[in-house]
Amino acid sequence: RTVEEMERTKQFGKEVVDLLRHQPHCRMPFSKFIPTYHHHFGRQCKLSYYGFTKLMELLEAIPDILMVLECGEEKVLILTEVERIKALAAQLVKLLRAQKNFSLSVSQLLPEYNKTFGYGLRLQDYDAASLPALLAKLCHVVKVVDGSDGREVQLINRKSLRLLTTQLLALLMSQENHQVTNGMKLYFEESDENCEDCSTGGGHGVEWVRLTKLYQFARNVRALLHTYHYNQIFLTEFQGAYSKFTGCGFEPRFYGCVGMDELLSAIPQVENDLFLILFFI
């Protein structure tokens, strides 16, 4: 397969996410994929455009997005758990934004979800044993607080979260080389009944936070550019200079990219354009 076909397959993966997000429980029968795709996007799914001759081969080429399950004699397509969590997060944002004060009592969350989207919220779809366990997986989007009428689910203030993320990212990027792989410990308050990893003092949880592979690459690029006048380097010299600087081979596929251009262009898109402003100006 050509690089162009691999790029198209990556774009196809985004279309699959969009398509299955519109299906109940982010799943659909394999037999309905082609007509549903055609109806949703208004065009045929041409396998040759992606370098394949069979639909199943194309679907199996995006394992980080899609799973194919055997349900009796029928195959079922379903988004991976990571993508299902992202889809659910988007749904909860939509649901809570329609509520007064962007909040909803915990007891009303499931009924309102059913009413809004036309199907129930199934905990097993997200590998969660309880609603609190599921909401814990969505802590970047919602929080559970004590309200006047009991426990409430509220949207997180995204502006404050972005500021915290920026500060944490700057801290992680400034670590010494030997600290990058392990990351940093973050301590947080935890109630006794939910505390699984408490310190000897009790009531405190411990979690490790580390840079993703792409951010670690970006950190290395930043350090490399700082060794050059005006923080610039010719693109033709970059690959060799990077390998010499880090002592490691330059492998874009290790970061989920098909080539150097794609990997370098992914840096400012790791979270948002703030990354580019923060580390390259």
Side-chain angles (χ1 to χ4, degrees):
R1 297 173 59 216
T2 66
V3 172
E4 290 77 12
E5 290 170 340
M6 295 177 71
E7 279 293 315
R8 294 168 187 166
T9 301
K10 195 171 183 179
Q11 180 59 39
F12 171 75
K14 297 178 181 179
E15 293 178 345
V16 170
V17 170
D18 180 36
L19 180 63
L20 287 181
R21 278 191 176 193
H22 286 81
Q23 306 301 314
H25 312 297
C26 297
R27 63 170 61 202
M28 68 183 301
F30 170 76
S31 58
K32 293 186 178 181
F33 181 82
I34 291 297
T36 305
Y37 181 97
H38 186 194
H39 180 266
H40 187 78
F41 294 107
R43 65 177 186 275
Q44 298 289 344
C45 179
K46 297 182 179 180
L47 301 179
S48 59
Y49 185 68
Y50 307 101
F52 293 98
T53 57
K54 296 181 180 180
L55 176 59
M56 185 57 68
E57 293 176 344
L58 173 57
L59 297 176
E60 290 176 342
I62 50 173
D64 55 326
I65 290 173
L66 187 70
M67 297 188 300
V68 181
L69 306 179
E70 298 284 348
C71 297
E73 297 181 355
E74 187 175 33
K75 291 183 173 63
V76 174
L77 307 178
I78 182 172
L79 292 180
T80 60
E81 184 181 346
V82 171
E83 291 297 335
R84 293 198 301 274
I85 288 291
K86 291 180 182 178
L88 178 58
Q91 288 180 322
L92 291 188
V93 169
K94 178 181 178 180
L95 175 61
L96 291 174
R97 280 181 175 172
Q99 310 300 317
K100 182 179 179 180
N101 298 324
F102 297 158
S103 65
L104 190 65
S105 67
V106 174
S107 61
Q108 287 298 309
L109 181 62
L110 296 183
E112 284 297 322
Y113 180 95
N114 196 336
K115 178 181 177 181
T116 301
F117 300 106
Y119 57 90
L121 177 59
R122 305 187 309 198
L123 300 179
Q124 64 269 27
D125 287 341
Y126 308 95
D127 193 25
S130 64
L131 183 56
L134 175 58
L135 294 176
K137 294 187 177 186
L138 297 160
C139 60
H140 59 295
V141 176
V142 299
K143 60 182 177 180
V144 181
V145 300
D146 289 321
S148 57
D149 298 321
R151 303 286 278 172
E152 294 181 351
V153 182
Q154 294 182 354
L155 277 181
I156 287 179
N157 186 324
R158 301 296 294 176
K159 185 178 294 185
S160 298
L161 182 60
R162 283 194 294 269
L163 176 60
L164 176 61
T165 301
T166 300
Q167 295 171 336
L168 179 59
L169 180 58
L171 189 60
L172 290 171
M173 294 287 281
S174 65
Q175 287 181 296
E176 298 295 333
N177 290 336
H178 67 277
Q179 297 175 312
V180 173
T181 302
N182 291 332
M184 301 176 62
K185 285 184 178 180
L186 292 183
Y187 296 88
F188 58 94
E189 296 295 329
E190 185 69 276
S191 60
D192 293 339
E193 64 270 21
N194 294 327
C195 183
E196 297 179 356
D197 183 14
C198 297
S199 62
T200 56
H204 297 282
V206 180
E207 287 185 343
W208 285 86
V209 179
R210 62 178 61 89
L211 294 173
T212 63
K213 292 178 180 178
L214 185 54
Y215 268 120
Q216 290 181 30
F217 168 74
R219 177 183 177 276
N220 289 337
V221 172
R222 174 177 178 263
L224 171 62
L225 290 176
H226 281 174
T227 66
Y228 284 79
H229 290 298
Y230 306 111
N231 297 332
Q232 297 176 358
I233 183 175
F234 287 111
L235 192 60
T236 53
E237 300 175 0
F238 173 77
Q239 185 169 339
Y242 181 88
S243 298
K244 182 178 180 180
F245 181 77
T246 62
C248 301
F250 185 80
E251 296 290 343
R253 295 180 187 277
F254 180 72
Y255 305 96
C257 299
V258 297
M260 180 175 66
D261 289 348
E262 181 184 352
L263 177 55
L264 291 175
S265 65
I267 291 179
Q269 303 168 15
V270 173
E271 279 288 339
N272 48 48
D273 289 339
L274 182 63
F275 177 85
L276 182 63
I277 297 171
L278 185 61
F279 295 110
F280 288 91
I281 289 183

